[in-house]
Amino acid sequence: MRRSGSILSGAAARRLPERAPDGSIRRAENQSRTGEAVADVKRVVVLVSGHGSNLQALLDAAAEPASGVAVVLVLADRPGAHGLERARRARVDTAVVRPADHPDRRSFDLALRDLVAAARPDVVCLAGFMRILGPEFVRAFPGRVLNTHPSLLPAFRGAHAVREALAYGVQVTGCTVHLVDEEVDHGPVLFQSAVPVEPGDDEDRLHERIKQQEHRLLPLAVRLLAEGRVRVEGRRAQLVTAEEVSR
Ligand code: GRF
């Protein structure tokens, strides 16, 4: 099926889980054998461009019985993104929005925004999505868009963070999971993890070790944000306890 420059997978024909009045969803797998609802499940939309190892970490975490989150849609900016294959294997709906199908960046952003909004996400997660999202997109999901970046921000923003950190000769780099605002690689930081540069590292080897940290932190950040446990004041993102969420 093709809608305004986007390609929805056949799986999209399946109905997305029902949404409860508080905005969360319940799904059949979330019921105990006696039929009693176990927990509300928060909806996550993931945007990818490539390999999708971070998406895989999110899918694996969501598959845990008590995760409380479900990946309901995976969106890519190119049909060849391997992340789409991972999503299909996990029986998650997929869609592709290609910049080439849109006259300008704004209309690409709007198409993406509309597809994401239609999936009614509690959290939108950029997991190796290699496009800059414009204000129309970011403003549609205030405080709900997460990104992971392979450097200790604010060092080495942009698409070649690992290569540039190596070229600079740093001894320690790492990853940053942060909320997305209207500037690139800039929003409030949720988690960072340091990764030492080892003798003989090349870009791929160093990036693999950085990704191991991202795979740990990104699912955690998604879950905490979905649970409403992230409070933001200015540039500072703070975690609150589950008890504080209900206050
Ligand atoms: C990650 O390191 C992410 O930080 C960066 O791109 C990489 C994506 O890796 N933006 P993968 O596609 O999740 O394997």
Side-chain angles (χ1 to χ4, degrees), residues 50-54 127-128 130 148-150 207 211 214:
H51 186 57
S53 67
N54 280 286
M130 303 307 279
T148 178
H149 181 77
H207 202 166
K211 283 191 188 189
E214 295 186 289

Side-chain angles (χ1 to χ4, degrees), residues 55 59 74 83-94:
L55 166 66
L59 292 168
V74 171
L84 291 169
E85 186 49 40
R86 295 179 188 269
R88 286 183 208 114
R89 255 189 269 138
R91 300 180 52 78
V92 170
D93 287 344
T94 60

Side-chain angles (χ1 to χ4, degrees), residues 165-166 169-173 195-199 201 206 209:
L166 267 178
V170 297
Q171 296 184 357
V172 177
T173 180
V195 175
V197 178
E198 289 176 359
D201 266 351
L206 178 57
R209 290 204 312 286

Side-chain angles (χ1 to χ4, degrees), residues 148-188:
T148 178
H149 181 77
S151 77
L152 294 173
L153 290 173
F156 308 115
R157 291 179 182 180
H160 305 292
V162 181
R163 189 183 310 166
E164 286 169 14
L166 267 178
Y168 195 87
V170 297
Q171 296 184 357
V172 177
T173 180
C175 65
T176 304
V177 176
H178 66 96
L179 287 161
V180 171
D181 64 10
E182 291 178 28
E183 282 183 55
V184 178
D185 298 329
H186 177 266

